[in-house]
Amino acid sequence: MHFNLQPILRNERVTLMPLQAQDFEEVYSIASDALIWEQHPNKNRWQRPVFETFFEGAMQSGGAFKIVDTQLNASIGSTRIYDYNPAEKSILIGYTFFHRMYWGKGFNHAVKTLMLDYLFQYVEKVGFHIGAANIRSQKSIERLGAVKMGEQEVAYFGEAPKLNFIYHIQKTDWLVRSVKL
């Protein structure tokens, strides 16, 4: 089943807009904060040349988004849908980052919920690659109901492979969890 990897998705907190080339400076102004990347496997992504490679990978993925605060209509980060596998009815969510003033305020939960609700119309399993040292992201994804399934060296676009934990959420588990929320 084919579906749109870059729809416009919106809820009361966030709007996900397809990432465009002209968004580079706006998104880089957020990503240029070194503290955003402190637990990430690629800690130097705040540097412009490294972020340019990251952004190029986002554009080539065909599933990248700019995250916008719906109330303020202000860009607050980026995320991505990638590696759709029609045979396994699976896809990955990742490459997510937020402006630090949005940390710990439920925005990541709002983004992931929006994406999962959309994706589970088309797939049976959503996976996440999370850096082995990225405790903040691991806890966040576990709160959504994701389960750690293993560890894997992951090569990000144009970057060296790094150890990541692999998490999954099954559609059936998400639907049961969503009813309880």
Side-chain angles (χ1 to χ4, degrees), residues 35-181:
L35 291 177
I36 288 174
W37 308 103
E38 124 184 284
Q39 291 186 19
H40 193 274
N42 304 80
K43 297 181 185 334
N44 61 351
R45 204 173 273 161
W46 61 273
Q47 298 169 356
R48 188 178 187 95
V50 177
F51 189 78
E52 286 171 349
T53 300
F54 172 85
F55 194 84
E56 179 183 342
M59 295 305 298
Q60 288 186 21
S61 77
F65 297 90
K66 175 173 69 171
I67 304 169
V68 177
D69 178 326
T70 300
Q71 301 299 312
L72 300 177
N73 195 32
S75 294
I76 63 172
S78 183
T79 192
R80 196 179 311 177
I81 297 168
Y82 62 104
D83 286 358
Y84 174 51
N85 184 328
E88 293 184 12
K89 297 182 181 175
S90 68
I91 199 159
L92 295 166
I93 294 175
Y95 296 93
T96 307
F97 66 91
F98 289 90
H99 190 290
R100 281 191 299 132
M101 67 185 266
Y102 286 86
W103 288 5
K105 297 181 180 172
F107 282 87
N108 188 47
H109 184 87
V111 165
K112 297 300 191 312
T113 297
L114 193 58
M115 295 173 85
L116 289 165
D117 285 345
Y118 174 73
L119 291 171
F120 281 132
Q121 296 174 63
Y122 307 99
V123 300
E124 297 297 318
K125 178 174 68 175
V126 175
F128 305 83
H129 293 149
I130 299 178
N134 193 340
I135 305 303
R136 183 173 41 246
S137 291
Q138 292 167 27
K139 287 182 179 183
S140 177
I141 204 67
E142 288 169 357
R143 282 193 293 270
L144 279 170
V147 176
K148 182 182 174 190
M149 304 303 287
E151 299 178 7
Q152 176 182 350
E153 291 282 323
V154 175
Y156 295 99
F157 180 88
E159 298 174 341
K162 304 286 184 182
L163 181 63
N164 278 244
F165 293 165
I166 308 303
Y167 286 83
H168 289 149
I169 297 177
Q170 298 291 334
K171 179 179 182 175
T172 52
D173 295 334
W174 179 252
L175 294 176
V176 168
R177 185 175 176 83
S178 295
V179 169
K180 292 179 182 178
L181 297 177

